[in-house]
């Protein structure tokens, strides 16, 4: 029997173990060591991020953003319902009331109309999530934010190496949160990054990340002792994690080239099939780039999707659905305001993701495409 094609397989570029060993030998394996600094300068110097705070996850980066935004009970935060739990949890932990927005009809990203309907005097933050690394309509979102004096936290978990009208995703709102979880393009097992794009928050970000102390300023030599000055937690990763991450960052161009080629082969194979097969392909607006984080299709209904997933599974190919609308979750359903979120529910029920990872070679992809063809052509 041939082996099952997984949905994802974490990629090893080759230098991870050597860098971890170098980190161990450096004698400092806690946060902000040798490789943490290398990663942070990669983000600021090579990728041009205004600032870069490595965190232990994107979840942590979002929690830092919620603290920096001074979220307090009674504040309202607008978030798409079709997203990962952390996008909402980070703000719920600070006491926020979450108002869930719907997705667009041709793309799972947040609908600007839906945001517009939800803004009240209590709104503090909008959290656009760039689903599949494809940009949300950021000019419209930033305009709404300016008009109503709101902050924007970009959930850029899936958005490394992706752009909106030439601007790097994660650097457009006041804050951007990235993930290096092993399911993302660039990985460190668990890992994340907060970008602070407005200088007035940078000092406070340093403090919040270091358990509410001004330890970072102390190590820089700015002050002669450090102490407890604000809220905070332990958000910085061990240097061992950063060592793994740095090896990945050095291979970013190669990883991205490979993923984009896989994505394009899916597109070329499935595009002629979509109409007759009754499914939708990913929609990438003109203002957005594709970072090949994901290749998904949208089926007409949940029955057809379940049949598709089972058909592939029985033939050794793993395809998976994605988020379950948060407004309808068991934690949130009784807190939701009752609005129907039709598009969020449609992606919940109908979206399915195909295998896409570095080692997904042509033979594996051909097999996957053959099985998909068989399903649709009957
Ligand atoms: C992966 C992901 C997260 C969480 O990232 P972690 O690093 O696992 O905390 C948050 N939001 C979105 C949209 C994600 O895809």
């Amino acid at each position: 029997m041939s082996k099952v094609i997984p949905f994802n397989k974490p990629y090893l570029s080759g230098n991870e173990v050597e860098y971890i060993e170098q980190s161990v030998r450096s004698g400092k394996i806690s946060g902000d060591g040798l490789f943490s600094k290398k990663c942070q300068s990669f983000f600021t110097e090579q990728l041009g991020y205004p600032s870069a705070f490595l965190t232990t996850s994107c979840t942590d980066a979002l929690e830092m953003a919620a603290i920096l935004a001074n979220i307090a009970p009674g504040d309202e935060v607008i978030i798409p319902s079709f997203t990962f739990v952390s996008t909402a949890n980070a703000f719920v932990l600070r006491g926020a009331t979450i108002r869930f927005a719907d997705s667009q009809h041709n793309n799972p990203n947040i609908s600007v109309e839906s945001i517009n309907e939800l803004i009240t005097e209590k709104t503090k933050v909008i959290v656009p999530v760039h689903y599949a690394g494809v940009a949300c309509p950021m000019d419209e979102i930033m305009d709404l934010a300016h008009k109503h004096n709101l902050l924007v936290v970009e959930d850029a978990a899936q958005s490394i190496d992706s752009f909106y009208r030439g601007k790097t995703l994660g650097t457009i709102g006041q804050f951007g949160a990235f993930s290096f979880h092993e399911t993302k393009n660039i990985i460190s097992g668990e890992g994340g990054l907060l970008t602070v794009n407005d200088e007035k928050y940078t000092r406070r970000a340093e403090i919040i990340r270091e358990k509410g102390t001004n330890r970072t300023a102390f190590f820089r030599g700015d002050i002669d002792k450090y102490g407890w000055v604000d809220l905070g937690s332990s958000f910085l990763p061990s240097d061992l994690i950063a060592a793994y991450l740095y090896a990945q960052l050095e291979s970013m161009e190669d990883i991205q080239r490979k993923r984009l080629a896989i994505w394009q082969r899916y597109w070329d194979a499935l595009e002629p099939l979509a109409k007759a097969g009754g499914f939708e392909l990913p929609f990438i607006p003109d203002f957005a780039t594709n970072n090949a984080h994901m290749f998904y299709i949208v089926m007409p209904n949940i029955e057809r999707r379940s049949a598709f997933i089972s058909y592939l599974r029985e033939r050794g190919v793993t395809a998976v659905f994605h988020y379950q609308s948060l407004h309808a979750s068991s934690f949130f359903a009784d807190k939701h305001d009752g609005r129907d979120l039709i598009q969020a529910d449609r992606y919940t029920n109908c979206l399915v993701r195909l295998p896409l990872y570095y080692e997904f070679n042509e033979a594996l992809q051909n097999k996957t495409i053959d099985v998909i063809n068989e399903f649709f052509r009957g």
Side-chain angles (χ1 to χ4, degrees):
M1 229 183 80
S2 61
K3 281 211 308 209
V4 172
I5 298 174
F7 166 67
N8 179 56
K9 186 173 173 201
Y11 173 60
L12 208 57
S13 77
N15 286 332
E16 286 83 353
V17 175
E18 187 192 320
Y19 289 174
I20 289 171
E21 187 175 339
Q22 278 182 34
S23 175
V24 171
R25 291 192 192 287
S26 79
K28 182 184 189 307
I29 56 170
S30 59
D32 288 341
L34 180 64
F35 284 95
S36 305
K37 297 212 163 87
K38 281 181 190 281
C39 288
Q40 288 175 172
S41 36
F42 186 94
F43 289 113
T44 54
E45 280 152 39
Q46 313 259 3
L47 302 185
Y49 295 6
S51 71
F53 295 94
L54 280 192
T55 57
T56 52
S57 62
C58 177
T59 302
D60 270 355
L62 289 163
E63 287 177 20
M64 282 183 67
I67 298 172
L68 285 162
N70 272 326
I71 295 298
D75 293 342
E76 295 182 0
V77 177
I78 300 174
I79 291 175
S81 180
F82 188 72
T83 185
F84 189 61
V85 285
S86 297
T87 320
N89 248 336
F91 296 91
V92 172
L93 280 167
R94 313 254 36 98
T97 299
I98 306 300
R99 304 298 311 280
F100 282 116
D102 207 356
S103 296
Q104 300 172 29
H105 69 94
N106 58 2
N107 164 320
N109 282 340
I110 194 165
S111 141
V112 173
E113 274 161 49
S114 184
I115 298 174
N116 214 353
E117 285 164 12
L118 292 172
I119 293 174
T120 71
E121 257 137 54
K122 293 180 177 166
T123 310
K124 275 282 185 64
V125 176
I126 306 171
V127 192
V129 178
H130 307 298
Y131 187 78
V134 175
C136 292
M138 290 308 292
D139 282 342
E140 286 161 88
I141 292 171
M142 296 309 291
D143 283 351
L144 271 181
H146 288 140
K147 187 167 149 206
H148 298 279
N149 203 16
L150 312 175
L151 297 176
V152 172
V153 177
E154 295 177 71
D155 182 336
Q158 306 171 7
S159 314
I160 191 130
D161 193 32
S162 206
F163 302 85
Y164 169 82
R165 297 192 197 282
K167 292 182 194 160
T168 308
L169 295 188
T171 70
I172 303 167
Q174 279 75 22
F175 309 107
F178 290 86
S179 174
F180 308 117
H181 185 263
E182 73 173 19
T183 51
K184 308 302 201 257
N185 293 29
I186 301 293
I187 64 174
S188 59
E190 303 281 351
L193 177 82
L194 179 74
T195 55
V196 175
N197 308 318
D198 179 338
E199 257 181 302
K200 80 174 187 234
Y201 298 101
T202 315
R203 268 303 157 91
R204 190 157 183 241
E206 276 180 10
I207 289 166
I208 289 167
R209 183 167 166 274
E210 271 283 18
K211 301 97 182 166
T213 72
N214 49 6
R215 192 163 181 264
T216 308
F218 171 71
F219 279 122
R220 214 174 19 234
D222 295 354
I223 47 178
D224 57 16
K225 62 181 186 325
Y226 78 87
W228 186 16
V229 295
D230 202 336
L231 279 182
S233 190
S234 183
F235 289 120
L236 66 174
S238 153
D239 203 58
L240 301 175
I241 300 273
Y244 192 108
L245 181 63
Y246 191 62
Q248 296 264 317
L249 290 173
E250 283 187 325
S251 306
M252 190 163 115
E253 270 185 43
D254 175 47
I255 292 171
Q256 288 300 91
R257 201 179 309 115
K258 187 86 182 214
R259 293 186 73 101
L260 281 162
I262 296 168
W263 197 99
Q264 193 59 44
R265 286 189 90 231
Y266 269 137
W267 180 274
D268 294 344
L270 300 183
E271 207 253 346
L273 202 61
K275 219 180 186 136
F279 64 88
E280 291 167 29
L281 291 162
F283 171 71
I284 299 170
D286 290 343
F287 57 66
T289 58
N290 173 25
N291 70 350
H293 172 58
M294 184 194 300
F295 197 98
Y296 66 82
I297 63 176
V298 184
M299 299 296 269
N301 54 53
I302 193 168
E303 292 77 21
R304 189 85 173 130
R305 183 181 73 179
S306 303
F308 179 78
I309 292 174
S310 306
Y311 189 91
L312 267 59
R313 190 194 311 115
E314 284 156 17
R315 287 156 186 79
V317 178
T318 314
V320 294
F321 55 81
H322 209 185
Y323 305 129
Q324 305 297 293
S325 293
L326 295 178
H327 73 279
S329 62
S330 60
F331 177 72
F332 201 83
D334 64 357
K335 302 172 188 70
H336 182 58
D337 54 33
R339 279 168 308 119
D340 283 335
L341 300 177
I342 291 165
Q343 296 301 336
D345 286 344
R346 189 169 75 89
Y347 295 114
T348 296
N349 293 326
C350 304
L351 184 144
V352 53
R353 298 174 290 161
L354 304 178
L356 201 175
Y357 51 90
Y358 189 93
E359 288 169 58
F360 188 55
N361 59 30
E362 267 190 42
L364 296 173
Q365 191 168 15
N366 287 342
K367 178 185 166 179
T368 302
I369 290 169
D370 286 348
V371 174
I372 295 172
N373 262 307
E374 266 174 50
F375 177 84
F376 286 109
R377 296 190 199 273

